[in-house]
Amino acid sequence: MEYFNAFLCGGILCVIGQLLIDKTKLTPARILVCYVTAGVVLSGLGVYQYLVDWGGCGATVPLTGFGHLLAKGVRKAVAEDGLLGALTGGATAAAGGITAAIFFGFLVALVCKPKPKG
């Protein structure tokens, strides 16, 4: 059931994103920002943790999960370091994921040759 919930949760988030692309004039970059911001706001309100508990990786892997991770990191750092934690907590919490994205992006850039579209 855990896999089904993750699939359903991630699928619903993707369907919402696809509907925003198809039915609105929002650009993918704006939708990305909206998803990350929604994750931060829902986490700040304490709502997103319920979604994570139910959907597992279906809630933590999408962009809303990244916003949730940032909010959790800031909350923890503020509790430990005070106001300075508001500036450092998000970067500290997301450092592993950001490092992995840069590293694997670099590896792919070494292996693949870019080609122009068309």
Side-chain angles (χ1 to χ4, degrees):
M1 195 65 180
E2 184 177 335
Y3 293 121
F4 178 76
N5 289 348
F7 178 77
L8 188 63
C9 181
I12 289 170
L13 290 171
C14 289
V15 165
I16 293 169
Q18 189 63 49
L19 287 173
L20 288 172
I21 289 171
D22 292 343
K23 303 294 182 185
T24 67
K25 293 184 185 235
L26 291 173
T27 63
R30 288 184 179 173
I31 294 170
L32 177 146
V33 170
C34 288
Y35 264 49
V36 173
T37 304
V40 170
V41 169
L42 291 174
S43 182
L45 295 173
V47 175
Y48 203 80
Q49 188 60 46
Y50 294 114
L51 188 62
V52 170
D53 293 341
W54 176 76
C57 287
T60 58
V61 171
L63 290 169
T64 51
F66 182 67
H68 173 65
L69 177 69
L70 292 175
K72 275 180 36 178
V74 168
R75 189 179 313 121
K76 179 181 175 190
V78 166
E80 293 174 359
D81 302 329
L83 192 56
L84 181 62
L87 302 173
T88 62
T92 303
I98 293 169
T99 303
I102 292 170
F103 176 73
F104 289 114
F106 178 72
L107 284 181
V108 169
L110 290 176
V111 174
C112 299
K113 283 188 168 184
K115 297 177 189 172
K117 285 187 176 182

